Amino acid sequence: MAKRHMIIKKNAENKVIALDRINVLFNEAKSVFSSNRTLADRYVSLARKISMKYKVKIPSCFKRSFCKHCYSYLVPSVNSRVRVREKMIVIYCDNCKRFSRFRYKE
Ligand SMILES: [Zn+2]
């Protein structure tokens, strides 16, 4: 019983660490984007790997900053176009020429 409790506690700790790393990676991606886009994309893929490994969701504030098709880091008006259409945010990725849609909350 005690051991099982320890495992649950450790998982929760790992999730906190994983979320923290995802935050750091997206902030790094943002700062390196202007000088090195390949590195920014790499940070996105690392963040996704962490989120899958520890089963944590990528925070909603970061979900729109990468393409869900090719996973490249997107900056509006630089390598993506953002349009608002009928309560949906439509993001067009310049890299793979595909659209991503997000529900728009009022
Ligand atoms: Zn794309």
Side-chain angles (χ1 to χ4, degrees):
M1 283 294 268
K3 199 178 178 185
R4 195 176 166 190
H5 182 74
M6 281 282 284
I7 290 166
I8 291 165
K9 201 185 165 192
K10 201 154 173 62
N11 277 345
E13 277 171 18
N14 280 344
K15 281 189 180 189
V16 171
I17 295 163
L19 200 62
D20 193 52
R21 277 190 194 160
I22 290 167
N23 273 301
V24 170
L25 283 166
F26 271 100
N27 286 329
E28 276 298 302
K30 196 181 182 179
S31 62
V32 299
F33 180 80
S34 56
S35 56
N36 193 341
R37 288 189 190 187
T38 325
L39 192 60
D41 294 349
R42 201 173 139 65
Y43 286 148
V44 171
S45 75
L46 281 172
R48 284 189 64 249
K49 271 181 193 165
I50 292 167
S51 92
M52 285 185 283
K53 188 177 177 185
Y54 295 100
K55 295 187 178 88
V56 287
K57 282 182 181 170
I58 290 176
S60 56
C61 54
F62 298 133
K63 279 210 161 169
R64 286 175 209 163
S65 55
F66 68 91
C67 173
K68 66 175 179 182
H69 303 289
C70 66
Y71 307 115
S72 57
Y73 189 77
L74 298 178
V75 173
S77 84
V78 179
N79 64 347
S80 71
R81 277 180 275 161
V82 183
R83 298 285 178 272
V84 180
R85 204 179 292 164
E86 286 169 38
K87 289 181 182 176
M88 295 289 270
I89 296 173
V90 182
I91 299 173
Y92 175 76
C93 171
D94 270 353
N95 196 30
C96 65
K97 319 285 183 208
R98 285 161 95 176
F99 296 97
S100 305
R101 288 179 186 87
F102 298 91
R103 205 175 289 273
Y104 175 77
K105 278 180 195 163
E106 285 165 66

